[in-house]
Amino acid sequence: MLGQELVDFIESPVMILFATRDEAGRPMIGRGSGVCVDRQSGHLHFLASRSQWPDAVSEALPGRPIATTYVRATDYKACQIKGRIVAAGAADEAHRARGEAYVAEQLARMIALGVTRMQLSSTLSDQELVCLTIEPQAIFEQTPGPGAGRRLTPEAAA
């Protein structure tokens, strides 16, 4: 479902947010700690910190919907991928390494843009990483401007 250009974008050092909801429909939000795309299945392997975002992660259960948003800080190019959680569990060694590298790179990039380490400490973490396997179902343009909110076809998202 995801074209190569979109895969390259979401796997690049972009800011990542996610939203889940509880059984009553109350939203829970958190910040992602990295993502990679399984080229065979097309699933996302999405990383989040259970200790940083306990409510959002606890509601990220198999079968539930999830929205993930990717934003490049330098120009606000953004997209949102909505999907269904296929599996959730502790991150394995490879995913933990990806999450640690992502957080280190995000800290360096955001500090270079003038955001302080203190501000970032409340949003970025590589502690207690969980890996959410997500089946993408819909893609939306989220870059501010006239196209924001537009549903993208896989070809347009490429």
Side-chain angles (χ1 to χ4, degrees):
M1 168 172 219
L2 307 180
Q4 188 60 49
E5 187 176 332
L6 181 59
V7 170
D8 292 344
F9 177 72
I10 69 172
E11 289 184 338
S12 71
V14 292
M15 297 182 296
I16 306 172
L17 306 169
F18 71 104
T20 59
R21 64 180 184 216
D22 65 14
E23 288 189 31
R26 289 181 299 225
M28 313 289 167
I29 62 168
R31 185 157 177 174
S33 298
V35 67
C36 65
V37 178
D38 182 321
R39 271 44 175 195
Q40 296 295 317
S41 67
H43 291 163
L44 309 179
H45 294 294
F46 187 93
L47 302 169
S49 169
R50 178 181 300 280
S51 61
Q52 191 81 39
W53 308 106
D55 295 337
V57 170
S58 68
E59 298 298 337
L61 301 171
R64 290 229 179 132
I66 188 168
T68 60
T69 304
Y70 307 86
V71 181
R72 188 166 49 211
T74 55
D75 61 5
Y76 288 104
K77 177 181 178 177
C79 72
Q80 183 178 63
I81 299 173
K82 292 183 177 182
R84 180 179 63 86
I85 299 168
V86 175
D92 64 17
E93 186 174 334
H95 286 129
R96 281 194 307 274
R98 175 178 285 277
E100 291 166 1
Y102 171 87
V103 169
E105 186 164 354
Q106 279 298 302
L107 288 172
R109 286 180 176 266
M110 297 307 286
I111 288 170
L113 291 172
V115 182
T116 68
R117 176 90 185 196
M118 178 69 87
Q119 292 169 312
L120 296 169
S121 67
S122 63
T123 61
L124 273 171
S125 176
D126 56 12
Q127 302 300 304
E128 295 185 52
L129 291 178
V130 296
C131 181
L132 308 174
T133 302
I134 301 168
E135 175 186 31
Q137 296 177 323
I139 308 163
F140 298 89
E141 173 71 44
Q142 293 297 332
T143 304
R150 177 175 54 105
R151 188 175 185 144
L152 299 174
T153 62
E155 295 79 24

